[in-house]
Amino acid sequence: MAVTEAERRAMGRALELAAQGPRGVNPQVGAVILSPDGDVLAEGWHHGAGTPHAEVDALSKLTPGAARGATAVVTLEPCNHTGRTGPCALALIDAGVARVVYALDDPGAVSGGGAERLRNAGVHVESGEQADAAHALIDGWLTAQRLGRPHITVKWAQSLDGRAAADDGSSQWITGPAARADVHRRRAAADAIVVGTGTVLADDPALTARDGDVLYPHQPVPVVIGSRPTPDDAAVRRHPHSPVFYDTRDLRAVVADLHARGVQSVFVEGGPTLASAFIAADLADRVLAYVAPVLLGGRRLALTDIGVPSIDAAVRLDIDEWLPLGTDLLAIAHPATATDAHDEGAA
């Protein structure tokens, strides 16, 4: 049975509901319950870890028996495991739901399999409705499921001859206003923004995401890596989120801890030393290189040692897009060995 027009509308609504939920260790999921005639009976979404999943949230708004013969439209395959809450597939079966339409398969080895459980119970199941939109909504969570860590974007700005600053260390501004506005839009799409203590001490960045002088509604959590102390009056300490500090050079330990905190996407723009360290550690899923038509010369390279002793060991990239931004050019790329990295993550 093909997806009906009422079910398509319900999926669009379920995606809107899903976006109201918090980004974190659990995916954002929305659900709409339809009567056999296609009328909306109830809506729900996942409000965060430990709260009812979207399907159960929607079912909780109905009287017992009201969902019998109904259709559940959900943005992610109903789960099939017991964690802090019970399996949603079983909740739908027990409620008497006759049909389930969902967008994306659950990739979890433990949580997946809900569709099969539903079918075995006699529920008609359709998958793939508006899958692209659902993927775009939770792409960070999907990457975290696949990699076991956040999706990591490494960004830098450089002159045409590959310098991040003039020889005296001054770097504001290599790129123009269009490129800087693009950076802020991408910051706003990330869960965390990462710099080193060297950048904090040299530039005193606020690490906020701004649209002109106005803060974007979503702000990335500021993360500072390094052993040198951050001054009490540093701008980063006035960020809307409390900064997270790591006194370590173990980047894998850092991203593991961020993952445990529910961070799904990381935006690294901490200067040449930190950017090079992430690339050398094979922790760059996407590269954003903003190139300005200016020559600086000197020693201040945009990247330093990334562990490439010869041309045979070069880090090869696949270009996803060349994006003109005023007089500047943005190269959006991913490591050539990570064939699907460009399809996932929030850069």
Side-chain angles (χ1 to χ4, degrees):
M1 177 180 173
V3 174
T4 67
E5 185 58 35
E7 291 166 349
R8 290 192 181 92
R9 289 195 301 270
M11 184 62 78
R13 175 58 180 162
L15 288 165
E16 293 175 356
L17 293 167
Q20 297 182 35
R23 289 190 292 191
V25 294
N26 295 106
Q28 295 166 290
V29 182
V32 176
I33 309 296
L34 298 177
S35 73
D37 294 328
D39 297 324
V40 174
L41 297 177
E43 300 177 341
W45 70 92
H46 186 47
H47 294 258
T51 65
H53 290 187
E55 301 94 318
V56 175
D57 185 44
L59 289 171
S60 71
K61 298 168 185 175
L62 298 174
T63 58
R68 190 158 303 280
T71 295
V73 179
V74 194
T75 58
L76 185 67
E77 178 186 7
C79 70
N80 191 37
H81 80 298
T82 299
R84 295 186 186 180
T85 60
C88 293
L90 181 59
L92 294 170
I93 293 168
D94 289 346
V97 167
R99 177 173 164 83
V100 172
V101 177
Y102 71 88
L104 289 177
D105 291 333
D106 189 325
V110 175
S111 57
E116 182 179 2
R117 185 171 189 172
L118 289 163
R119 291 190 180 101
N120 289 340
V123 178
H124 187 88
V125 179
E126 292 284 346
S127 64
E129 172 61 24
Q130 299 185 44
D132 288 347
H135 190 286
L137 178 67
I138 61 169
D139 57 0
W141 180 82
L142 291 168
T143 299
Q145 292 295 109
R146 177 173 59 84
L147 299 177
R149 61 162 175 77
H151 183 278
I152 299 171
T153 296
V154 177
K155 167 263 173 184
W156 66 83
Q158 66 172 66
S159 63
L160 194 60
D161 57 343
R163 268 62 182 180
D167 227 24
D168 65 354
S170 59
S171 61
Q172 295 182 347
W173 297 102
I174 290 177
T175 56
R180 297 198 296 275
D182 185 77
V183 169
H184 280 272
R185 285 192 296 270
R186 294 176 188 275
R187 283 184 182 183
D191 292 335
I193 180 170
V194 179
V195 298
T197 52
T199 295
V200 170
L201 295 173
D203 299 336
D204 193 26
L207 300 185
T208 52
R210 301 182 303 277
D211 183 5
D213 294 329
V214 179
L215 293 179
Y216 277 102
H218 175 75
Q219 291 292 315
V221 174
V223 176
V224 180
I225 301 175
S227 58
R228 287 179 287 178
T230 297
D232 292 340
D233 61 349
V236 69
R237 294 190 182 275
R238 299 189 295 275
H239 193 282
H241 296 295
S242 297
V244 181
F245 298 97
Y246 293 100
D247 183 2
T248 180
R249 294 185 178 182
D250 186 346
L251 296 183
R252 293 193 178 276
V254 170
V255 297
D257 185 69
L258 290 174
H259 179 56
R261 293 170 181 261
V263 170
Q264 297 174 3
S265 57
V266 169
F267 195 80
V268 178
E269 60 170 314
T273 300
L274 194 63
S276 301
F278 269 89
I279 290 174
D282 195 24
L283 288 173
D285 303 303
R286 177 172 292 171
V287 166
L288 301 177
Y290 293 83
V291 183
V294 60
L295 301 176
L296 293 175
R299 304 161 293 165
R300 307 277 185 165
L301 294 173
L303 288 182
T304 57
D305 182 11
I306 58 171
V308 176
S310 66
I311 192 65
D312 293 339
V315 177
R316 303 287 178 179
L317 303 176
D318 287 337
I319 296 293
D320 300 317
E321 186 178 4
W322 291 103
L323 181 62
L325 294 167
T327 59
D328 304 316
L329 187 64
L330 169 60
I332 305 173
H334 67 274
T337 54
T339 55
D340 59 345
H342 66 295
D343 292 326
E344 302 194 37

